[in-house]
PDB file of all heavy atoms in Angstrom:
ATOM      1  N   ASP A  14       2.116 -40.924  79.541  1.00 92.00           N
ATOM      2  CA  ASP A  14       2.649 -42.088  80.243  1.00 92.00           C
ATOM      3  C   ASP A  14       3.469 -42.953  79.294  1.00 92.00           C
ATOM      4  O   ASP A  14       3.064 -43.204  78.153  1.00 92.00           O
ATOM      5  CB  ASP A  14       1.508 -42.925  80.819  1.00 92.00           C
ATOM      6  CG  ASP A  14       0.651 -42.142  81.804  1.00 92.00           C
ATOM      7  OD1 ASP A  14       1.138 -41.120  82.322  1.00 92.00           O
ATOM      8  OD2 ASP A  14      -0.502 -42.552  82.040  1.00 92.00           O
ATOM      9  N   THR A  25       8.697 -47.367  83.988  1.00 91.00           N
ATOM     10  CA  THR A  25       7.650 -46.413  83.643  1.00 91.00           C
ATOM     11  C   THR A  25       8.137 -44.987  83.833  1.00 91.00           C
ATOM     12  O   THR A  25       9.017 -44.719  84.651  1.00 91.00           O
ATOM     13  CB  THR A  25       6.397 -46.634  84.516  1.00 91.00           C
ATOM     14  OG1 THR A  25       6.725 -46.375  85.889  1.00 91.00           O
ATOM     15  CG2 THR A  25       5.871 -48.052  84.380  1.00 91.00           C
ATOM     16  N   LEU A  85     -18.091 -30.476  52.355  1.00 98.00           N
ATOM     17  CA  LEU A  85     -18.885 -31.691  52.213  1.00 98.00           C
ATOM     18  C   LEU A  85     -19.528 -31.716  50.840  1.00 98.00           C
ATOM     19  O   LEU A  85     -20.121 -30.725  50.400  1.00 98.00           O
ATOM     20  CB  LEU A  85     -19.977 -31.746  53.286  1.00 98.00           C
ATOM     21  CG  LEU A  85     -21.052 -32.842  53.119  1.00 98.00           C
ATOM     22  CD1 LEU A  85     -20.443 -34.229  53.292  1.00 98.00           C
ATOM     23  CD2 LEU A  85     -22.205 -32.634  54.107  1.00 98.00           C
ATOM     24  N   LEU A 151     -13.947 -25.395  45.491  1.00 97.00           N
ATOM     25  CA  LEU A 151     -13.063 -25.881  46.563  1.00 97.00           C
ATOM     26  C   LEU A 151     -11.700 -25.200  46.486  1.00 97.00           C
ATOM     27  O   LEU A 151     -11.111 -24.821  47.509  1.00 97.00           O
ATOM     28  CB  LEU A 151     -12.893 -27.406  46.464  1.00 97.00           C
ATOM     29  CG  LEU A 151     -14.134 -28.271  46.664  1.00 97.00           C
ATOM     30  CD1 LEU A 151     -13.803 -29.737  46.413  1.00 97.00           C
ATOM     31  CD2 LEU A 151     -14.702 -28.101  48.069  1.00 97.00           C
ATOM     32  N   PRO A 185      -4.263 -32.029  44.380  1.00 96.00           N
ATOM     33  CA  PRO A 185      -3.501 -33.119  45.006  1.00 96.00           C
ATOM     34  C   PRO A 185      -3.183 -32.923  46.484  1.00 96.00           C
ATOM     35  O   PRO A 185      -2.863 -33.887  47.175  1.00 96.00           O
ATOM     36  CB  PRO A 185      -2.217 -33.170  44.167  1.00 96.00           C
ATOM     37  CG  PRO A 185      -2.141 -31.850  43.481  1.00 96.00           C
ATOM     38  CD  PRO A 185      -3.542 -31.407  43.261  1.00 96.00           C
ATOM     39  N   GLY A 264      -6.662 -43.758  74.048  1.00 81.00           N
ATOM     40  CA  GLY A 264      -6.144 -44.021  75.387  1.00 81.00           C
ATOM     41  C   GLY A 264      -7.073 -44.863  76.234  1.00 81.00           C
ATOM     42  O   GLY A 264      -6.709 -45.956  76.705  1.00 81.00           O
ATOM     43  N   ALA A 371      -7.116 -30.345  97.101  1.00 97.00           N
ATOM     44  CA  ALA A 371      -7.916 -30.825  98.227  1.00 97.00           C
ATOM     45  C   ALA A 371      -7.269 -32.045  98.874  1.00 97.00           C
ATOM     46  O   ALA A 371      -7.209 -32.152 100.110  1.00 97.00           O
ATOM     47  CB  ALA A 371      -9.334 -31.153  97.758  1.00 97.00           C
ATOM     48  N   GLY A 438     -28.208 -53.007  83.639  1.00 84.00           N
ATOM     49  CA  GLY A 438     -28.672 -54.344  84.000  1.00 84.00           C
ATOM     50  C   GLY A 438     -27.659 -55.218  84.707  1.00 84.00           C
ATOM     51  O   GLY A 438     -27.880 -56.429  84.843  1.00 84.00           O
ATOM     52  N   ALA A 461     -16.142 -48.389  96.031  1.00 96.00           N
ATOM     53  CA  ALA A 461     -16.534 -49.783  96.247  1.00 96.00           C
ATOM     54  C   ALA A 461     -17.514 -49.890  97.409  1.00 96.00           C
ATOM     55  O   ALA A 461     -18.504 -50.628  97.339  1.00 96.00           O
ATOM     56  CB  ALA A 461     -15.293 -50.629  96.510  1.00 96.00           C
ATOM     57  N   CYS A 498     -32.285 -57.142  54.458  1.00 90.00           N
ATOM     58  CA  CYS A 498     -33.119 -58.237  53.954  1.00 90.00           C
ATOM     59  C   CYS A 498     -33.909 -58.846  55.103  1.00 90.00           C
ATOM     60  O   CYS A 498     -33.574 -58.667  56.276  1.00 90.00           O
ATOM     61  CB  CYS A 498     -32.252 -59.321  53.293  1.00 90.00           C
ATOM     62  SG  CYS A 498     -31.250 -60.245  54.472  1.00 90.00           S
ATOM     63  N   TYR A 506     -26.846 -67.943  49.373  1.00 92.00           N
ATOM     64  CA  TYR A 506     -25.637 -67.854  48.538  1.00 92.00           C
ATOM     65  C   TYR A 506     -25.111 -66.420  48.521  1.00 92.00           C
ATOM     66  O   TYR A 506     -23.913 -66.173  48.694  1.00 92.00           O
ATOM     67  CB  TYR A 506     -25.949 -68.311  47.115  1.00 92.00           C
ATOM     68  CG  TYR A 506     -24.792 -68.088  46.162  1.00 92.00           C
ATOM     69  CD1 TYR A 506     -23.714 -68.966  46.124  1.00 92.00           C
ATOM     70  CD2 TYR A 506     -24.776 -66.968  45.309  1.00 92.00           C
ATOM     71  CE1 TYR A 506     -22.648 -68.749  45.263  1.00 92.00           C
ATOM     72  CE2 TYR A 506     -23.719 -66.740  44.452  1.00 92.00           C
ATOM     73  CZ  TYR A 506     -22.653 -67.629  44.426  1.00 92.00           C
ATOM     74  OH  TYR A 506     -21.597 -67.400  43.579  1.00 92.00           O
ATOM     75  N   SER A 563     -28.246 -72.374  60.681  1.00 92.00           N
ATOM     76  CA  SER A 563     -27.553 -71.315  61.420  1.00 92.00           C
ATOM     77  C   SER A 563     -28.362 -70.024  61.410  1.00 92.00           C
ATOM     78  O   SER A 563     -28.325 -69.255  62.369  1.00 92.00           O
ATOM     79  CB  SER A 563     -26.148 -71.083  60.856  1.00 92.00           C
ATOM     80  OG  SER A 563     -26.194 -70.787  59.479  1.00 92.00           O
ATOM     81  N   GLU A 596     -15.100 -58.673  62.856  1.00 91.00           N
ATOM     82  CA  GLU A 596     -13.906 -58.348  63.625  1.00 91.00           C
ATOM     83  C   GLU A 596     -12.838 -59.360  63.244  1.00 91.00           C
ATOM     84  O   GLU A 596     -13.053 -60.572  63.360  1.00 91.00           O
ATOM     85  CB  GLU A 596     -14.171 -58.436  65.127  1.00 91.00           C
ATOM     86  CG  GLU A 596     -15.127 -57.398  65.680  1.00 91.00           C
ATOM     87  CD  GLU A 596     -15.378 -57.629  67.159  1.00 91.00           C
ATOM     88  OE1 GLU A 596     -16.210 -58.485  67.481  1.00 91.00           O
ATOM     89  OE2 GLU A 596     -14.726 -56.956  67.975  1.00 91.00           O
TER      90      GLU A 596
END
Side-chain angles (χ1 to χ4, degrees):
D14 300 340
T25 64
L85 170 67
L151 296 175
C498 70
Y506 173 80
S563 56
E596 293 177 278

